[in-house]
Amino acid sequence: MKHLIDPMDLTKEETDEIISLAEDIIAHRERYQGSMSHRKLATLFYEPSTRTRLSFTSAMMELGGSVLGFSDAKNSSVSKGETVQDTVRVVGCFAEVIAMRHYIEGAQLYASEVSPVPIINAGDGSHSHPTQTLTDLLTIKRELGRIDGITIGFCGDLRFGRTVHSLIKALSRYRNVEVILIAPDALKLPDYIKHDVCDKCGVKYREVETMEEVMPELDVLYMTRVQKERFLDEDEFDRVKDSFVLDARRMALAKKNMAVLHPLPRVNEILTEVDSDPRAAYFRQVENGKFVREALILKLHEWKNDPAHPMPEHDRPVFDSSVRCTNSKCICNNEHAPYKFHYTDGGQLRCWYCDSKVR
Ligand code: NCD
């Protein structure tokens, strides 16, 4: 069965097919109305959300389907101690597809191992957010007319920002994409993205400390919020919370057709004076998120039992009882998921569920 847990669960062709379908939906909305009638989407949100949950809801409604679920797991049997695996087994009896957000990393991957219906990862901790990635790719394509050959600056919280991790993975399959990482030391991109994704796929990247020095080169500036809820130490958050602020003065340094993206919500990293600049694409990006989720729901439904669209072959899991994943926010340290690992091409042992380095 085809799930979407990680952007790489889709092939490049499948990703492009979803983006093209979203463009067709935008051009011919009426053609798709009713195409999911009598079908149900469940949204299981264990963590706050505005855009992601409501865009899934709106997408399913546009397609003529219905939506059920919860936006606060405290009101569900989770508060009685039900596991994510049991929850999806149950909800899979009521809906044809499940979109799930969880603060625990790897929760959706673990849930997908037993789910009777496709699972869509709507964000797992600071790990991945593949539907935001589809939104971002569609937005880049619509703003610039291409994805190949862009220079993109990621600015802000590259350490905990799951949208950044997933978008870099997806961009690694496009031609000549150059990535510039703009972050203070404490918010740098995790090593597994730099090595297992950028180095492995030949993505050119460099790390800088100020926006100003790279602004004129960028085709896309991807701003992010510092993820307060992921910090274990509040003082550490206070030290970095206002690291980068985009204002009209900095926008003046950029190309005339640069696009500013932000997954939103913003806190204070983009001043409202930037909103009226035609290059500010973040509210258009929100709307693209609805269309791309419509396309994703249609495609996952179509591919559900199609052998031509399998889940990718992952390397075989390694079970080693002498090692443990040390990430306290990983599913294997929160529910009884097995300690399972995989070897990277560079010979490193990483957690199967959250990608943390184990050895
Ligand atoms: C992002 C998320 O939840 O990771 N928001 C979103 O889904 N559009 C970004 C964030 O919360 O900062």
Side-chain angles (χ1 to χ4, degrees):
M1 187 171 344
K2 193 80 175 168
H3 304 280
L4 177 58
I5 308 299
D6 182 275
M8 301 313 230
D9 291 339
L10 299 171
T11 61
K12 163 91 165 33
E13 291 67 35
E14 288 166 343
T15 306
D16 289 338
E17 211 175 312
I18 291 169
I19 291 167
S20 301
L21 178 58
E23 289 176 312
D24 199 60
I25 294 172
I26 293 166
H28 309 285
R29 287 169 74 156
E30 65 301 333
R31 281 191 199 160
Y32 296 90
Q33 283 162 5
S35 47
M36 287 298 277
S37 63
H38 305 296
R39 311 233 179 249
K40 291 169 271 348
L41 163 79
T43 54
L44 309 184
F45 276 59
Y46 295 72
E47 203 184 42
S49 169
T50 302
R51 268 148 299 272
T52 305
R53 190 174 62 81
L54 294 181
S55 66
F56 267 115
T57 303
S58 174
M60 193 60 175
M61 286 171 162
E62 289 256 336
L63 298 171
S66 324
V67 184
L68 63 157
F70 52 77
S71 55
D72 182 350
K74 281 199 228 58
N75 296 328
S76 74
S77 284
V78 173
S79 60
K80 302 180 190 170
E82 188 164 61
T83 64
V84 284
Q85 285 203 334
D86 281 358
T87 300
V88 300
R89 279 189 160 115
V90 170
V91 176
C93 301
F94 307 142
E96 280 80 17
V97 54
I98 296 175
M100 182 192 286
R101 169 169 286 189
H102 211 298
Y103 50 90
I104 294 296
E105 292 163 23
Q108 291 88 338
L109 178 56
Y110 186 49
S112 71
E113 290 171 2
V114 299
S115 178
V117 299
I119 300 277
I120 300 172
N121 177 4
D124 64 322
S126 52
H127 188 222
S128 302
H129 195 345
T131 66
Q132 182 64 44
T133 297
L134 293 172
T135 305
D136 301 339
L137 293 175
L138 173 63
T139 305
I140 294 171
K141 184 144 182 240
R142 293 191 78 200
E143 294 293 320
L144 300 179
R146 68 195 157 97
I147 301 174
D148 290 318
I150 59 164
T151 297
I152 177 167
F154 287 94
C155 180
D157 189 347
L158 315 189
R159 176 178 169 199
F160 295 121
R162 56 194 173 192
T163 66
V164 173
H165 307 162
S166 288
L167 182 54
I168 292 179
K169 276 190 177 181
L171 286 173
S172 72
R173 300 202 285 206
Y174 289 83
R175 274 181 289 120
N176 300 325
V177 171
E178 204 174 321
V179 168
I180 303 182
L181 306 167
I182 312 162
D185 248 3
L187 300 179
K188 283 211 153 101
L189 191 72
D191 275 358
Y192 85 90
I193 307 279
K194 279 190 228 163
H195 301 141
D196 304 355
V197 181
C198 296
D199 291 344
K200 185 176 160 194
C201 304
V203 177
K204 258 174 79 182
Y205 70 91
R206 65 183 207 270
E207 299 185 283
V208 300
E209 289 190 353
T210 67
M211 258 173 169
E212 286 82 348
E213 65 192 283
V214 292
M215 212 62 181
E217 299 176 50
L218 303 178
D219 299 304
V220 178
L221 173 61
Y222 194 96
M223 294 297 296
T224 60
R225 169 180 74 90
V226 180
Q227 308 275 299
K228 182 175 185 188
E229 66 277 27
R230 314 269 181 232
F231 281 77
L232 298 174
D233 174 355
E234 209 170 304
D235 291 343
E236 196 187 354
F237 168 73
D238 284 337
R239 276 195 294 278
V240 291
K241 66 180 182 204
D242 293 320
S243 295
F244 297 101
V245 177
L246 182 63
D247 55 12
R249 188 177 59 84
R250 291 184 175 93
M251 284 299 286
L253 304 172
K255 287 184 185 169
K256 293 275 165 286
N257 62 347
M258 182 189 77
V260 182
L261 272 65
H262 190 311
L264 302 179
R266 72 170 147 195
V267 184
N268 47 9
E269 59 280 353
I270 302 182
L271 297 190
T272 52
E273 68 187 22
V274 179
D275 297 357
S276 55
D277 188 309
R279 296 169 291 183
Y282 31 92
F283 291 114
R284 295 191 287 276
Q285 188 181 357
V286 174
E287 201 183 8
N288 289 333
K290 180 186 72 174
F291 295 119
V292 99
R293 288 181 174 98
E294 282 185 52
L296 175 66
I297 292 167
L298 286 171
K299 284 292 169 194
L300 283 187
H301 189 66
E302 179 189 324
W303 296 338
K304 196 169 170 177
N305 297 311
D306 183 349
H309 293 279
M311 284 297 275
E313 288 271 327
H314 285 298
D315 24 306
R316 272 174 177 280
V318 178
F319 293 89
D320 183 342
S321 56
S322 68
V323 282
R324 291 273 182 274
C325 170
T326 53
N327 175 5
S328 62
K329 294 186 174 164
C330 176
I331 190 72
C332 58
N333 290 314
N334 287 275
E335 290 192 7
H336 294 291
Y339 285 106
K340 227 162 129 177
F341 308 95
H342 64 97
Y343 275 106
T344 64
D345 290 350
Q348 270 181 354
L349 195 61
R350 295 200 185 277
C351 174
W352 184 259
Y353 294 103
C354 74
D355 284 308
S356 310
K357 186 164 120 191
V358 176
R359 205 165 46 213

Short mmCIF file of all heavy atoms in Angstrom, two decimals, residues 227-280:
data_model
loop_
_atom_site.label_atom_id
_atom_site.label_comp_id
_atom_site.label_asym_id
_atom_site.label_seq_id
_atom_site.Cartn_x
_atom_site.Cartn_y
_atom_site.Cartn_z
N GLN A 227 11.45 26.95 16.37
CA GLN A 227 10.44 26.00 16.87
C GLN A 227 10.51 25.89 18.40
O GLN A 227 11.07 24.93 18.95
CB GLN A 227 10.69 24.62 16.25
CG GLN A 227 10.79 24.66 14.72
CD GLN A 227 9.44 24.59 14.04
OE1 GLN A 227 8.70 23.63 14.20
NE2 GLN A 227 9.11 25.63 13.28
N LYS A 228 9.93 26.86 19.05
CA LYS A 228 10.00 26.98 20.52
C LYS A 228 9.66 25.64 21.21
O LYS A 228 10.33 25.23 22.17
CB LYS A 228 9.00 28.05 20.95
CG LYS A 228 9.01 28.31 22.42
CD LYS A 228 8.09 29.46 22.77
CE LYS A 228 8.25 29.76 24.26
NZ LYS A 228 7.28 30.72 24.71
N GLU A 229 8.63 24.96 20.72
CA GLU A 229 8.14 23.76 21.40
C GLU A 229 9.12 22.59 21.35
O GLU A 229 8.93 21.60 22.07
CB GLU A 229 6.78 23.35 20.82
CG GLU A 229 6.76 22.88 19.36
CD GLU A 229 6.71 23.99 18.30
OE1 GLU A 229 7.19 25.11 18.57
OE2 GLU A 229 6.22 23.72 17.19
N ARG A 230 10.16 22.67 20.53
CA ARG A 230 11.11 21.55 20.42
C ARG A 230 12.33 21.72 21.33
O ARG A 230 13.15 20.83 21.43
CB ARG A 230 11.62 21.39 18.98
CG ARG A 230 10.54 21.45 17.92
CD ARG A 230 9.95 20.10 17.58
NE ARG A 230 8.93 20.25 16.55
CZ ARG A 230 7.69 19.78 16.62
NH1 ARG A 230 7.32 19.05 17.66
NH2 ARG A 230 6.85 19.98 15.65
N PHE A 231 12.50 22.91 21.91
CA PHE A 231 13.68 23.15 22.75
C PHE A 231 13.50 22.51 24.12
O PHE A 231 12.44 22.63 24.72
CB PHE A 231 13.91 24.65 22.93
CG PHE A 231 14.56 25.30 21.74
CD1 PHE A 231 13.82 25.59 20.61
CD2 PHE A 231 15.92 25.60 21.75
CE1 PHE A 231 14.40 26.17 19.50
CE2 PHE A 231 16.52 26.20 20.64
CZ PHE A 231 15.76 26.48 19.51
N LEU A 232 14.55 21.84 24.60
CA LEU A 232 14.48 21.27 25.94
C LEU A 232 14.88 22.33 26.96
O LEU A 232 14.56 22.24 28.13
CB LEU A 232 15.38 20.03 26.04
CG LEU A 232 14.98 18.86 25.10
CD1 LEU A 232 16.01 17.74 25.16
CD2 LEU A 232 13.57 18.32 25.43
N ASP A 233 15.59 23.37 26.49
CA ASP A 233 16.13 24.39 27.39
C ASP A 233 15.62 25.78 26.94
O ASP A 233 15.92 26.23 25.84
CB ASP A 233 17.66 24.29 27.30
CG ASP A 233 18.39 25.36 28.05
OD1 ASP A 233 17.73 26.27 28.60
OD2 ASP A 233 19.65 25.29 28.09
N GLU A 234 14.84 26.42 27.82
CA GLU A 234 14.21 27.69 27.44
C GLU A 234 15.23 28.81 27.21
O GLU A 234 15.05 29.66 26.34
CB GLU A 234 13.20 28.11 28.51
CG GLU A 234 12.08 28.93 27.89
CD GLU A 234 10.92 29.15 28.87
OE1 GLU A 234 10.38 28.16 29.39
OE2 GLU A 234 10.61 30.33 29.11
N ASP A 235 16.34 28.78 27.98
CA ASP A 235 17.38 29.82 27.80
C ASP A 235 17.98 29.73 26.41
O ASP A 235 18.29 30.73 25.77
CB ASP A 235 18.52 29.65 28.82
CG ASP A 235 18.02 29.98 30.21
OD1 ASP A 235 16.95 30.63 30.30
OD2 ASP A 235 18.68 29.58 31.19
N GLU A 236 18.14 28.49 25.95
CA GLU A 236 18.72 28.28 24.62
C GLU A 236 17.79 28.89 23.56
O GLU A 236 18.22 29.56 22.63
CB GLU A 236 18.91 26.78 24.36
CG GLU A 236 19.85 26.53 23.19
CD GLU A 236 19.95 25.05 22.79
OE1 GLU A 236 19.37 24.20 23.48
OE2 GLU A 236 20.58 24.80 21.75
N PHE A 237 16.48 28.69 23.76
CA PHE A 237 15.50 29.28 22.83
C PHE A 237 15.60 30.81 22.86
O PHE A 237 15.66 31.45 21.81
CB PHE A 237 14.08 28.82 23.17
CG PHE A 237 13.02 29.60 22.45
CD1 PHE A 237 12.81 29.40 21.08
CD2 PHE A 237 12.27 30.57 23.10
CE1 PHE A 237 11.86 30.14 20.39
CE2 PHE A 237 11.32 31.32 22.42
CZ PHE A 237 11.11 31.10 21.06
N ASP A 238 15.67 31.39 24.06
CA ASP A 238 15.73 32.85 24.18
C ASP A 238 16.95 33.43 23.46
O ASP A 238 16.87 34.50 22.88
CB ASP A 238 15.76 33.27 25.66
CG ASP A 238 14.37 33.14 26.28
OD1 ASP A 238 13.38 33.18 25.51
OD2 ASP A 238 14.28 32.97 27.52
N ARG A 239 18.05 32.68 23.48
CA ARG A 239 19.27 33.18 22.83
C ARG A 239 19.14 33.25 21.31
O ARG A 239 19.76 34.08 20.67
CB ARG A 239 20.47 32.27 23.19
CG ARG A 239 21.13 32.63 24.53
CD ARG A 239 22.50 31.97 24.65
NE ARG A 239 22.41 30.52 24.72
CZ ARG A 239 22.15 29.82 25.83
NH1 ARG A 239 21.95 30.44 26.97
NH2 ARG A 239 22.11 28.51 25.80
N VAL A 240 18.33 32.38 20.71
CA VAL A 240 18.29 32.32 19.24
C VAL A 240 16.97 32.78 18.62
O VAL A 240 16.86 32.86 17.40
CB VAL A 240 18.60 30.88 18.74
CG1 VAL A 240 20.05 30.52 19.01
CG2 VAL A 240 17.64 29.86 19.33
N LYS A 241 16.00 33.09 19.46
CA LYS A 241 14.64 33.28 18.93
C LYS A 241 14.53 34.40 17.89
O LYS A 241 13.70 34.31 16.99
CB LYS A 241 13.63 33.47 20.06
CG LYS A 241 13.81 34.73 20.85
CD LYS A 241 12.75 34.82 21.94
CE LYS A 241 12.92 36.10 22.68
NZ LYS A 241 12.41 36.13 24.01
N ASP A 242 15.35 35.44 18.02
CA ASP A 242 15.22 36.54 17.04
C ASP A 242 16.42 36.61 16.11
O ASP A 242 16.85 37.69 15.72
CB ASP A 242 15.03 37.87 17.79
CG ASP A 242 13.69 37.89 18.52
OD1 ASP A 242 12.70 37.39 17.94
OD2 ASP A 242 13.64 38.37 19.67
N SER A 243 16.95 35.45 15.75
CA SER A 243 18.20 35.43 14.97
C SER A 243 18.07 36.15 13.63
O SER A 243 18.97 36.85 13.20
CB SER A 243 18.63 34.00 14.70
OG SER A 243 18.97 33.38 15.90
N PHE A 244 16.96 35.94 12.93
CA PHE A 244 16.83 36.53 11.59
C PHE A 244 15.46 37.15 11.43
O PHE A 244 14.45 36.53 11.75
CB PHE A 244 17.01 35.46 10.51
CG PHE A 244 18.37 34.84 10.54
CD1 PHE A 244 18.58 33.61 11.13
CD2 PHE A 244 19.46 35.52 10.01
CE1 PHE A 244 19.84 33.05 11.18
CE2 PHE A 244 20.73 34.98 10.06
CZ PHE A 244 20.92 33.74 10.64
N VAL A 245 15.46 38.37 10.91
CA VAL A 245 14.20 39.04 10.64
C VAL A 245 14.25 39.58 9.21
O VAL A 245 15.20 40.28 8.84
CB VAL A 245 13.96 40.20 11.65
CG1 VAL A 245 12.68 40.94 11.31
CG2 VAL A 245 13.90 39.65 13.09
N LEU A 246 13.25 39.23 8.42
CA LEU A 246 13.18 39.73 7.04
C LEU A 246 12.35 41.01 7.05
O LEU A 246 11.21 41.02 7.52
CB LEU A 246 12.53 38.67 6.14
CG LEU A 246 12.44 39.04 4.66
CD1 LEU A 246 13.84 39.21 4.05
CD2 LEU A 246 11.67 37.97 3.87
N ASP A 247 12.96 42.08 6.50
CA ASP A 247 12.26 43.36 6.44
C ASP A 247 12.43 43.96 5.04
O ASP A 247 13.11 43.37 4.19
CB ASP A 247 12.79 44.31 7.52
CG ASP A 247 14.30 44.49 7.43
OD1 ASP A 247 14.90 44.06 6.41
OD2 ASP A 247 14.89 45.05 8.36
N ALA A 248 11.83 45.12 4.82
CA ALA A 248 11.86 45.74 3.49
C ALA A 248 13.31 46.08 3.09
O ALA A 248 13.67 45.97 1.93
CB ALA A 248 10.99 46.98 3.50
N ARG A 249 14.12 46.46 4.06
CA ARG A 249 15.52 46.83 3.76
C ARG A 249 16.28 45.63 3.19
O ARG A 249 17.00 45.73 2.22
CB ARG A 249 16.17 47.34 5.06
CG ARG A 249 17.54 47.94 4.88
CD ARG A 249 18.11 48.49 6.18
NE ARG A 249 18.23 47.46 7.23
CZ ARG A 249 19.24 46.62 7.34
NH1 ARG A 249 20.25 46.66 6.49
NH2 ARG A 249 19.27 45.72 8.33
N ARG A 250 16.06 44.46 3.78
CA ARG A 250 16.75 43.26 3.28
C ARG A 250 16.15 42.81 1.95
O ARG A 250 16.86 42.32 1.07
CB ARG A 250 16.70 42.14 4.32
CG ARG A 250 17.56 42.49 5.54
CD ARG A 250 17.61 41.36 6.54
NE ARG A 250 18.53 41.69 7.62
CZ ARG A 250 18.17 42.28 8.77
NH1 ARG A 250 16.91 42.58 9.00
NH2 ARG A 250 19.07 42.55 9.69
N MET A 251 14.84 42.98 1.80
CA MET A 251 14.19 42.62 0.52
C MET A 251 14.78 43.44 -0.64
O MET A 251 14.83 42.98 -1.78
CB MET A 251 12.68 42.86 0.59
CG MET A 251 11.91 41.82 1.38
SD MET A 251 12.03 40.16 0.71
CE MET A 251 10.98 40.26 -0.72
N ALA A 252 15.22 44.66 -0.33
CA ALA A 252 15.77 45.53 -1.38
C ALA A 252 17.07 44.96 -1.97
O ALA A 252 17.48 45.34 -3.06
CB ALA A 252 16.00 46.92 -0.81
N LEU A 253 17.71 44.03 -1.25
CA LEU A 253 18.96 43.44 -1.74
C LEU A 253 18.71 42.27 -2.69
O LEU A 253 19.62 41.77 -3.33
CB LEU A 253 19.79 42.90 -0.56
CG LEU A 253 20.13 43.87 0.56
CD1 LEU A 253 20.77 43.11 1.73
CD2 LEU A 253 21.09 44.94 0.04
N ALA A 254 17.46 41.82 -2.77
CA ALA A 254 17.16 40.57 -3.48
C ALA A 254 16.81 40.81 -4.95
O ALA A 254 16.51 41.94 -5.35
CB ALA A 254 15.99 39.87 -2.79
N LYS A 255 16.83 39.69 -5.71
CA LYS A 255 16.43 39.76 -7.12
C LYS A 255 14.99 40.24 -7.23
O LYS A 255 14.17 39.97 -6.34
CB LYS A 255 16.51 38.35 -7.74
CG LYS A 255 17.90 37.84 -7.99
CD LYS A 255 17.81 36.48 -8.68
CE LYS A 255 19.19 35.88 -8.84
NZ LYS A 255 19.17 34.47 -9.25
N LYS A 256 14.69 40.79 -8.39
CA LYS A 256 13.33 41.34 -8.62
C LYS A 256 12.26 40.24 -8.63
O LYS A 256 11.09 40.51 -8.37
CB LYS A 256 13.29 42.07 -9.98
CG LYS A 256 14.13 43.33 -10.01
CD LYS A 256 13.36 44.53 -9.44
CE LYS A 256 14.24 45.72 -9.10
NZ LYS A 256 15.07 45.59 -7.88
N ASN A 257 12.69 39.01 -8.98
CA ASN A 257 11.69 37.93 -9.06
C ASN A 257 11.93 36.84 -8.02
O ASN A 257 11.47 35.71 -8.19
CB ASN A 257 11.65 37.33 -10.46
CG ASN A 257 12.98 36.70 -10.82
OD1 ASN A 257 13.98 36.94 -10.14
ND2 ASN A 257 13.00 35.91 -11.87
N MET A 258 12.68 37.14 -6.97
CA MET A 258 12.86 36.14 -5.90
C MET A 258 11.49 35.86 -5.25
O MET A 258 10.64 36.75 -5.17
CB MET A 258 13.83 36.68 -4.84
CG MET A 258 14.10 35.67 -3.73
SD MET A 258 15.03 36.36 -2.36
CE MET A 258 13.76 37.29 -1.51
N ALA A 259 11.30 34.62 -4.80
CA ALA A 259 10.04 34.31 -4.10
C ALA A 259 10.35 34.04 -2.63
O ALA A 259 11.29 33.29 -2.31
CB ALA A 259 9.39 33.08 -4.71
N VAL A 260 9.59 34.67 -1.74
CA VAL A 260 9.76 34.41 -0.31
C VAL A 260 8.70 33.39 0.10
O VAL A 260 7.50 33.63 -0.04
CB VAL A 260 9.56 35.68 0.54
CG1 VAL A 260 9.79 35.35 2.03
CG2 VAL A 260 10.46 36.80 0.09
N LEU A 261 9.16 32.24 0.61
CA LEU A 261 8.25 31.21 1.10
C LEU A 261 8.39 31.10 2.62
O LEU A 261 9.45 31.43 3.19
CB LEU A 261 8.57 29.84 0.47
CG LEU A 261 7.88 29.51 -0.87
CD1 LEU A 261 8.34 30.44 -1.98
CD2 LEU A 261 8.18 28.07 -1.28
N HIS A 262 7.34 30.66 3.26
CA HIS A 262 7.37 30.40 4.71
C HIS A 262 6.23 29.41 4.94
O HIS A 262 5.11 29.65 4.47
CB HIS A 262 7.13 31.70 5.48
CG HIS A 262 7.38 31.58 6.97
ND1 HIS A 262 6.83 30.56 7.74
CD2 HIS A 262 8.09 32.35 7.83
CE1 HIS A 262 7.22 30.72 9.01
NE2 HIS A 262 7.99 31.80 9.09
N PRO A 263 6.47 28.29 5.63
CA PRO A 263 5.37 27.35 5.83
C PRO A 263 4.28 27.93 6.74
O PRO A 263 3.16 27.42 6.76
CB PRO A 263 6.05 26.14 6.49
CG PRO A 263 7.30 26.68 7.11
CD PRO A 263 7.73 27.84 6.25
N LEU A 264 4.62 28.97 7.48
CA LEU A 264 3.73 29.61 8.45
C LEU A 264 3.35 28.62 9.56
O LEU A 264 3.38 27.43 9.33
CB LEU A 264 2.49 30.20 7.78
CG LEU A 264 2.74 31.24 6.68
CD1 LEU A 264 1.40 31.72 6.09
CD2 LEU A 264 3.53 32.44 7.21
N PRO A 265 3.03 29.02 10.76
CA PRO A 265 2.83 30.39 11.19
C PRO A 265 4.16 31.15 11.35
O PRO A 265 5.18 30.55 11.70
CB PRO A 265 2.16 30.21 12.56
CG PRO A 265 2.69 28.91 13.07
CD PRO A 265 2.84 28.05 11.85
N ARG A 266 4.10 32.47 11.10
CA ARG A 266 5.28 33.28 11.40
C ARG A 266 5.11 33.83 12.80
O ARG A 266 3.98 33.99 13.27
CB ARG A 266 5.43 34.42 10.39
CG ARG A 266 4.41 35.50 10.59
CD ARG A 266 4.69 36.73 9.76
NE ARG A 266 3.42 37.32 9.37
CZ ARG A 266 3.28 38.22 8.43
NH1 ARG A 266 4.33 38.65 7.76
NH2 ARG A 266 2.10 38.70 8.13
N VAL A 267 6.21 34.14 13.41
CA VAL A 267 6.13 34.81 14.72
C VAL A 267 6.61 36.24 14.48
O VAL A 267 5.81 37.14 14.25
CB VAL A 267 6.92 34.05 15.80
CG1 VAL A 267 6.74 34.71 17.16
CG2 VAL A 267 6.46 32.60 15.86
N ASN A 268 7.95 36.44 14.46
CA ASN A 268 8.39 37.79 14.08
C ASN A 268 9.53 37.75 13.09
O ASN A 268 10.26 38.73 12.94
CB ASN A 268 8.75 38.62 15.32
CG ASN A 268 9.62 37.82 16.25
OD1 ASN A 268 10.06 36.73 15.88
ND2 ASN A 268 9.88 38.32 17.44
N GLU A 269 9.68 36.63 12.38
CA GLU A 269 10.81 36.52 11.44
C GLU A 269 10.54 37.17 10.09
O GLU A 269 11.47 37.35 9.30
CB GLU A 269 11.27 35.06 11.29
CG GLU A 269 10.24 34.08 10.78
CD GLU A 269 9.26 33.61 11.87
OE1 GLU A 269 9.47 33.94 13.05
OE2 GLU A 269 8.28 32.94 11.51
N ILE A 270 9.28 37.53 9.81
CA ILE A 270 9.00 38.34 8.61
C ILE A 270 8.13 39.50 9.06
O ILE A 270 7.02 39.29 9.58
CB ILE A 270 8.23 37.56 7.52
CG1 ILE A 270 8.99 36.30 7.08
CG2 ILE A 270 7.98 38.47 6.31
CD1 ILE A 270 8.31 35.50 5.97
N LEU A 271 8.63 40.72 8.89
CA LEU A 271 7.82 41.88 9.29
C LEU A 271 6.62 42.02 8.34
O LEU A 271 6.73 41.71 7.15
CB LEU A 271 8.65 43.16 9.27
CG LEU A 271 9.84 43.24 10.23
CD1 LEU A 271 10.41 44.66 10.26
CD2 LEU A 271 9.47 42.81 11.65
N THR A 272 5.51 42.53 8.86
CA THR A 272 4.31 42.63 8.02
C THR A 272 4.51 43.61 6.86
O THR A 272 3.80 43.54 5.87
CB THR A 272 3.08 43.06 8.86
OG1 THR A 272 3.44 44.22 9.59
CG2 THR A 272 2.65 41.97 9.81
N GLU A 273 5.52 44.49 6.97
CA GLU A 273 5.79 45.42 5.85
C GLU A 273 6.19 44.68 4.58
O GLU A 273 6.08 45.21 3.48
CB GLU A 273 6.88 46.43 6.24
CG GLU A 273 8.26 45.81 6.42
CD GLU A 273 9.31 46.78 6.97
OE1 GLU A 273 8.93 47.78 7.61
OE2 GLU A 273 10.51 46.51 6.78
N VAL A 274 6.62 43.41 4.72
CA VAL A 274 7.03 42.62 3.54
C VAL A 274 5.80 42.05 2.82
O VAL A 274 5.85 41.73 1.63
CB VAL A 274 8.00 41.48 3.96
CG1 VAL A 274 8.43 40.62 2.77
CG2 VAL A 274 9.23 42.04 4.67
N ASP A 275 4.67 41.95 3.52
CA ASP A 275 3.50 41.26 2.95
C ASP A 275 3.02 41.86 1.63
O ASP A 275 2.50 41.15 0.77
CB ASP A 275 2.32 41.27 3.95
CG ASP A 275 2.64 40.50 5.23
OD1 ASP A 275 3.74 39.92 5.31
OD2 ASP A 275 1.79 40.50 6.14
N SER A 276 3.16 43.16 1.49
CA SER A 276 2.65 43.81 0.27
C SER A 276 3.65 43.73 -0.89
O SER A 276 3.33 44.13 -2.01
CB SER A 276 2.30 45.27 0.58
OG SER A 276 3.46 45.88 1.12
N ASP A 277 4.84 43.22 -0.64
CA ASP A 277 5.83 43.04 -1.71
C ASP A 277 5.37 41.90 -2.60
O ASP A 277 5.02 40.83 -2.09
CB ASP A 277 7.19 42.71 -1.05
CG ASP A 277 8.34 42.70 -2.05
OD1 ASP A 277 8.21 42.03 -3.10
OD2 ASP A 277 9.36 43.36 -1.78
N PRO A 278 5.32 42.09 -3.92
CA PRO A 278 4.81 41.00 -4.79
C PRO A 278 5.62 39.70 -4.68
O PRO A 278 5.13 38.63 -5.05
CB PRO A 278 4.91 41.59 -6.20
CG PRO A 278 5.58 42.90 -6.08
CD PRO A 278 5.64 43.31 -4.65
N ARG A 279 6.83 39.80 -4.16
CA ARG A 279 7.65 38.58 -4.02
C ARG A 279 7.27 37.75 -2.79
O ARG A 279 7.73 36.63 -2.63
CB ARG A 279 9.14 38.98 -3.94
CG ARG A 279 9.64 39.63 -5.22
CD ARG A 279 11.00 40.25 -5.05
NE ARG A 279 10.96 41.44 -4.19
CZ ARG A 279 12.00 42.21 -3.90
NH1 ARG A 279 13.18 41.91 -4.43
NH2 ARG A 279 11.89 43.25 -3.12
N ALA A 280 6.45 38.31 -1.92
CA ALA A 280 6.01 37.57 -0.72
C ALA A 280 4.99 36.53 -1.16
O ALA A 280 3.84 36.87 -1.46
CB ALA A 280 5.41 38.54 0.29
#
